[in-house]
Amino acid sequence: MNLFRLSLAYLRRNALSALLNVLLLALGIATITVLLLFSYQVEQRLTRDAADIDMVVGAKGSPMQLILSSVFHIDVPTGNIPLHEARWVQNHPLVAGTIPLALGDSYRGFRIVGTTPRYVRHYGGAPAGGSLWDDDMEAVLGARVAERTGLGVGDRFAGVHGITGGEAVGGEVHEDHPYTVTGVLRHTNSVLDRLILVSVPSVWKVHGYDHEAGLGPEHEHAGGRPAQDGAVDGNGDAQSDDEGAQGPDDERELTALLVQYQSPLAAVTLPRVINSRGPLQAAAPAYETARLMQMMGIGLDTLRAFGWVLVIAAGLGVFIGLYNALKDRRYDLAQMRTLGASRRRLFNHILTEAIMLAVMGALLGLALGHVAAEVLGQSFRQTQQLEITGAVFLTQELWLVGLAVAVGIVAAVIPAVQAYRTDIAETLGRGR
Amino acid sequence: MLGIRDVTHRYRDGTTITLPNWQAQDGEHWALLGPSGSGKTTLLHILGGLLRPQRGQVFIGERRLDQLGERALDQFRGQHIGVVFQTLHLVDALTVENNLRLARYFAGLSQDRNQILEVLDRLGVAEVARHHPHRLSQGQAQRVALARAIINEPAVILADEPTSALDDKTCQQVLELLTAQALACHATLVIATHDARVRGVLEHALELEPAE
Ligand SMILES: Nc1ncnc2c1ncn2[C@@H]1O[C@H](COP(=O)(O)OP(=O)(O)O)[C@@H](O)[C@H]1O
Ligand SMILES: [Mg+2]
């Protein structure tokens, strides 16, 4: 026999009310746990996806939309920007490096992104099989895309016009411009996993801006391939391009440029300069992400408060249960003192009972929370870019257990003090 | 040796009980007699360390209970005193066996299952070891309460009105059990009762005067 088993025996006797309190507590803790897991993973993901991108340049519109569409690939783009404007940004002395993005098509709900290998490197991506593209109409699949579509190296597929919606996109299929898969990327736990990556000229080609192929709607270009990875990349690690023919009448466009500053000072002037250029807009991922988290935070706070209400209600239930039971138990308590139990023992006995309820409720709540996060995550996975899982464990959860125990202790203090005060002679002398 | 000297206790409501000087030698069996309200229960509680008298000395062996600290008194009570109340106060949340274990635990003594079963066996209730008290007959419950009082082999066994609610035959049995078990543990036995049937049974008796 010990206090633990003694308290357990009393809990067993009042199993129903104990169970109700445990469940109530568990629901509260589960709610808070789900929110914790969600906001943590969303924040992780947003931070990771936006890491080391100082600025995004795209078409005028909502800066939030620009960030959502070109960094997180959730929203539709604000529009496109002319290639020569992009080049201007790229050549600006305050700009250290840029990554071009050309959006427009998708395959079974996954976006086809015209970009440069630098984009893959930016997220630490590397081929798990095959290699990166080195020619137009070659595609590299993010890990999740490969899993979902079943495509592998050597397979061919055709993009669908439009990037919104899931697999049921009714857009025009670019049958005449199929891509060939040259590589599949490893998991990066970044936005890369859900993208299909191709060269920028591939996107132009599909949309008829390819001059070489003679599909350019207005005019012809003299030399070979009009724009190379390296040229747009600014790294110059591919071929040099025929800049000469560039001009405002060039039809070719990019959707956005991901920009890294030359120095922190650039943040002061560059966005203003860019915003003053006709079609361009500059947006800071850090700022917009913070804004996004804040907006989301308000909704989450409400839910979290609801979770705490449940926890407090459970605490109240524990208090009422113990307090009422104490009337019946005062003879037991006096008898225990007769058997040699000290006042402290009785105090701890009541406290142990509440702590046991709290720990059971908290652990059940954590388990429920993780299961719920996993189930919700699974159902989100079908439709959303975000991948939420229940298999993430945070140190805050330990805090949650601690707080639940604290609630239990607070609930038990008054009954425990009453137990402490049990007067043996008074109780047993007159009690019949 | 068990005894009191110059003991007066005043309850919170002002009721004051003055008890006669009295002492018993080790192993003696005493009946504590007197009408209702004469202070028998009060004396028993004082002897059991359940109540601290306002004034006076309480001896058990070499110890002065009135001088022990709170924690020391708790421990002393657990280890050396066994009490059977009229209402048995068995802990219903626990099995019979665990009720006895509880007595060992609170006294800070080892919890040997064989010893517990042996004591239950001695009192003829080993077969209900796993039952909860509410399933016991009155007679079984009596025996279990007595088993719990003697499980720690106390120096003193105190019983408050153990026979009052019982018929003659059961009364006889309970008295026999009490005396037999006290003999077995070489314990001093004090039975407080207003039950006239107890009068001739024990070798010693202390009469308390009715309160005026
Ligand atoms: N807890 C108490 N508070 C106040 N008075 C009490 C208390 N217990 C007993 N008394 C009073 O003390 C006197 C002696 O009571 P008690 O020791 O129970 O006598 P007995 O056991 O002989 O019937 C009675 O007058 C009773 O009313
Ligand atoms: Mg009495």
Side-chain angles (χ1 to χ4, degrees):
Chain A
M1 187 54 53
N2 51 45
L3 278 195
F4 179 80
R5 296 179 63 177
L6 181 61
S7 297
L8 193 65
Y10 277 96
L11 287 182
R12 276 230 201 92
R13 233 164 94 82
N14 267 322
L16 186 64
S17 90
L19 192 72
L20 284 178
N21 286 327
V22 165
L23 280 183
L24 203 56
L25 186 59
L27 285 179
I29 296 289
T31 308
I32 300 168
T33 305
V34 168
L35 295 176
L36 215 57
L37 293 177
F38 262 65
S39 53
Y40 171 79
Q41 290 181 63
V42 169
E43 188 169 352
Q44 270 301 88
R45 188 54 188 271
L46 293 186
T47 317
R48 170 137 170 64
D49 287 351
D52 296 326
I53 300 171
D54 295 322
M55 181 178 71
V56 178
V57 177
K60 284 233 184 304
S62 142
M64 177 71 82
Q65 191 186 345
L66 176 57
I67 298 297
L68 287 176
S69 63
S70 53
V71 177
F72 305 124
H73 294 277
I74 327 185
D75 207 349
V76 291
T78 48
N80 284 337
I81 55 175
L83 185 60
H84 66 268
E85 291 286 349
R87 300 239 162 154
W88 178 85
V89 172
Q90 194 186 325
N91 293 326
H92 196 282
L94 287 173
V95 169
T98 61
I99 298 169
L101 298 177
L103 305 176
D105 292 345
S106 61
Y107 174 69
R108 295 192 34 195
F110 295 107
R111 292 184 180 198
I112 298 172
V113 180
T115 184
T116 64
R118 186 179 169 145
Y119 189 53
V120 177
R121 285 200 301 273
H122 182 83
Y123 291 111
S131 59
L132 293 189
W133 68 93
D134 49 29
D135 205 349
D136 295 348
M137 304 321 292
E138 293 184 347
V140 169
L141 308 181
R144 179 63 66 180
V145 180
E147 281 166 24
R148 271 292 143 78
T149 59
L151 289 177
V153 175
D155 290 340
R156 289 158 74 85
F157 67 94
V160 176
H161 195 71
I163 58 175
T164 44
E167 313 207 352
V169 174
E172 171 202 350
V173 181
H174 298 296
E175 294 281 15
D176 46 348
H177 289 96
Y179 288 103
T180 305
V181 178
T182 62
V184 172
L185 296 179
R186 278 203 296 265
H187 269 283
T188 59
N189 287 321
S190 71
V191 69
L192 222 52
D193 294 348
R194 305 193 133 260
L195 299 178
I196 298 169
L197 306 160
V198 301
S199 71
V200 174
S202 303
V203 175
W204 289 333
K205 205 177 237 171
V206 171
H207 292 97
Y209 297 131
D210 185 76
H211 309 264
E212 187 185 48
L215 294 169
E218 308 295 349
H219 56 267
E220 294 274 317
H221 245 288
R225 301 193 340 220
Q228 301 295 339
D229 297 347
V232 183
D233 187 9
N235 274 1
D237 55 12
Q239 301 100 315
S240 65
D241 71 306
D242 46 351
E243 188 68 41
Q246 284 274 299
D249 57 345
D250 188 344
E251 285 276 328
R252 294 172 302 173
E253 293 177 321
L254 289 176
T255 308
L257 271 184
L258 309 182
V259 177
Q260 279 176 326
Y261 292 146
Q262 190 66 257
S263 82
L265 275 179
V268 183
T269 53
L270 198 52
R272 201 142 19 102
V273 174
I274 286 172
N275 282 325
S276 69
R277 275 182 86 88
L280 297 189
Q281 172 187 219
Y287 177 75
E288 300 301 331
T289 307
R291 230 160 53 92
L292 193 64
M293 291 302 295
Q294 199 194 343
M295 288 191 287
M296 224 168 52
I298 294 166
L300 293 184
D301 284 347
T302 319
L303 268 172
R304 203 186 324 264
F306 172 70
W308 280 115
V309 166
L310 291 182
V311 171
I312 300 295
L316 219 57
V318 171
F319 168 71
I320 291 169
L322 285 176
Y323 192 85
N324 279 337
L326 224 54
K327 287 192 199 98
D328 302 330
R329 279 167 71 172
R330 64 201 174 100
Y331 298 119
D332 285 7
L333 292 170
Q335 176 65 55
M336 288 175 197
R337 295 233 37 215
T338 305
L339 293 176
S342 65
R343 293 178 180 279
R344 277 280 293 281
R345 271 270 163 80
L346 297 193
F347 184 88
N348 291 339
H349 164 45
I350 300 297
L351 221 55
T352 304
E353 223 167 294
I355 292 173
M356 282 166 71
L357 282 177
V359 169
M360 285 191 272
L363 293 184
L364 183 63
L366 287 185
L368 278 178
H370 280 275
V371 169
E374 181 64 30
V375 169
L376 285 174
Q378 291 283 0
S379 66
F380 275 19
R381 215 165 286 177
Q382 312 298 330
T383 54
Q384 302 291 314
Q385 292 286 337
L386 274 170
E387 291 187 23
I388 304 282
T389 154
V392 170
F393 296 88
L394 308 176
T395 39
Q396 284 112 301
E397 294 176 43
L398 292 180
W399 277 102
L400 224 46
V401 176
L403 281 168
V405 168
V407 167
I409 289 176
V410 167
V413 159
I414 291 176
V417 165
Q418 280 190 325
Y420 181 90
R421 289 209 184 129
T422 303
D423 183 318
I424 319 172
E426 189 90 22
T427 310
L428 295 179
R430 291 186 153 175
R432 292 287 107 113
Chain B
M1 196 189 68
L2 171 69
I4 52 168
R5 185 177 303 148
D6 302 332
V7 168
T8 303
H9 185 69
R10 189 184 152 90
Y11 281 106
R12 259 185 305 202
D13 64 357
T15 314
T16 306
I17 312 287
T18 305
L19 295 167
N21 293 343
W22 165 80
Q23 77 180 46
Q25 297 308 312
D26 287 351
E28 286 181 351
H29 294 183
W30 282 76
L32 194 53
L33 302 168
S36 216
S38 57
K40 304 181 296 294
T41 298
T42 305
L43 174 52
L44 213 66
H45 284 171
I46 289 172
L47 290 174
L50 304 173
L51 187 66
R52 275 179 194 277
Q54 227 88 57
R55 242 170 354 101
Q57 300 155 17
V58 185
F59 310 90
I60 292 187
E62 307 292 297
R63 302 290 179 109
R64 285 277 303 275
L65 285 200
D66 54 298
Q67 288 180 342
L68 282 182
E70 167 112 11
R71 185 68 199 97
L73 182 61
D74 289 336
Q75 193 173 350
F76 185 87
R77 184 169 58 233
Q79 290 179 353
H80 303 295
I81 298 172
V83 189
V84 183
F85 298 103
Q86 180 180 1
T87 312
L88 301 169
H89 298 310
L90 294 173
V91 176
D92 207 41
L94 300 176
T95 61
V96 164
E97 184 186 330
N98 281 337
N99 264 274
L100 266 61
R101 245 176 234 277
L102 197 64
R104 301 289 295 175
Y105 168 65
F106 283 135
L109 301 171
S110 68
Q111 300 170 33
D112 176 16
R113 178 151 203 266
N114 288 332
Q115 188 226 351
I116 288 168
L117 291 180
E118 194 209 308
V119 169
L120 285 175
D121 193 42
R122 215 158 78 204
L123 286 158
V125 281
E127 74 275 15
V128 295
R130 289 172 178 284
H131 291 197
H132 283 258
H134 65 92
R135 289 182 51 194
L136 303 180
S137 70
Q138 175 64 25
Q140 287 172 326
Q142 280 274 1
R143 287 157 186 266
V144 171
L146 182 55
R148 187 177 59 181
I150 63 167
I151 185 76
N152 295 340
E153 292 168 344
V156 176
I157 298 174
L158 306 172
D160 195 5
E161 308 280 5
T163 58
S164 306
L166 308 177
D167 60 51
D168 287 356
K169 188 163 164 259
T170 327
C171 167
Q172 199 58 40
Q173 283 175 349
V174 167
L175 288 175
E176 272 165 24
L177 273 177
L178 275 169
T179 47
Q181 295 308 320
L183 275 176
C185 344
H186 311 291
T188 310
L189 173 67
V190 181
I191 300 178
T193 187
H194 66 272
D195 188 346
R197 296 172 294 184
V198 179
R199 192 171 287 271
V201 179
L202 302 181
E203 63 228 43
H204 304 280
L206 171 67
E207 289 276 353
L208 292 186
E209 300 299 319
E212 60 273 2

